[in-house]
Amino acid sequence: TRYWRDWSSDVCSSDLTTGTQIGGTQPFMGNSVLFNTGTGIGLMSSSGNAVLANRVEGNTDGGIVLNAVRNTRIGALGGGGNTVLENGVNGIYVSGTSAGTTVVANSVTGSSSNGLLINAATNLVVGGMISGEGNTIVMSTGYGVLGLGTCTKTKVIRNTLRENAAGAVNLS
């Protein structure tokens, strides 16, 4: 496990990166991304990535941020889900074209805004039909899941959403 405790940086992959894996398919393969003044983990304009089994905690500008990523897995069954705790802003944020991207089996707790913010994301799947694919999103000060803008062909399926101050889901 690698520990990031740098107060000014984060784990970031951008500019058309393909095939980046942050963490692994088992909990002992994950990273601890803790207390950064920026975003914990950020992926931008990339495809074919995986963010698996990481502990992302206390990051000022959010836990996991995805912008225009395709075919990317955030969490996986069998121990590959991320633990996203008490991050500033949103626990997980997804915006832009997200074709083939899945957000599954993650635990998001105590975000200072929304547990999961979906901003004009298209073709995104949050949770799933198989037992264990759903995310657990609890105790955010905003919504468990908030959708903004046009979220075409985005699916939110079988997630556990509770004790979020503004409510469970708002996809208006």
Side-chain angles (χ1 to χ4, degrees):
T1 300
R2 180 154 181 194
Y3 294 88
W4 279 278
R5 294 187 69 94
D6 181 349
W7 294 100
S8 63
S9 66
D10 54 11
V11 180
C12 185
S13 175
S14 63
D15 299 327
L16 305 176
T17 302
T18 301
T20 298
Q21 181 169 313
I22 301 170
T25 56
Q26 298 297 317
F28 67 88
M29 299 171 81
N31 300 290
S32 293
V33 183
L34 308 171
F35 307 108
N36 293 288
T37 57
T39 298
I41 297 173
L43 295 171
M44 291 153 256
S45 301
S46 59
S47 66
N49 304 299
V51 178
L52 307 169
N54 297 290
R55 180 181 180 91
V56 183
E57 180 178 359
N59 299 288
T60 305
D61 289 339
I64 299 172
V65 175
L66 311 174
N67 185 4
V69 297
R70 296 175 178 266
N71 301 313
T72 294
R73 294 182 301 143
I74 306 303
L77 289 173
N82 296 287
T83 301
V84 182
L85 298 167
E86 299 176 354
N87 289 282
V89 194
N90 303 292
I92 300 174
Y93 173 81
V94 183
S95 68
T97 301
S98 310
T101 294
T102 59
V103 178
V104 300
N106 298 290
S107 174
V108 181
T109 303
S111 300
S112 67
S113 190
N114 303 290
L116 171 63
L117 175 61
I118 305 167
N119 186 7
T122 58
N123 296 302
L124 172 69
V125 177
V126 177
M129 296 301 293
I130 297 172
S131 179
E133 282 185 327
N135 299 283
T136 300
I137 303 173
V138 298
M139 299 182 345
S140 297
T141 60
Y143 287 96
V145 177
L146 175 61
L148 299 174
T150 303
C151 297
T152 307
K153 297 183 181 177
T154 291
K155 299 175 184 173
V156 179
I157 307 166
R158 290 183 71 174
N159 298 283
T160 300
L161 307 164
R162 67 175 194 275
E163 300 177 53
N164 296 290
V169 178
N170 181 345
L171 298 177
S172 58

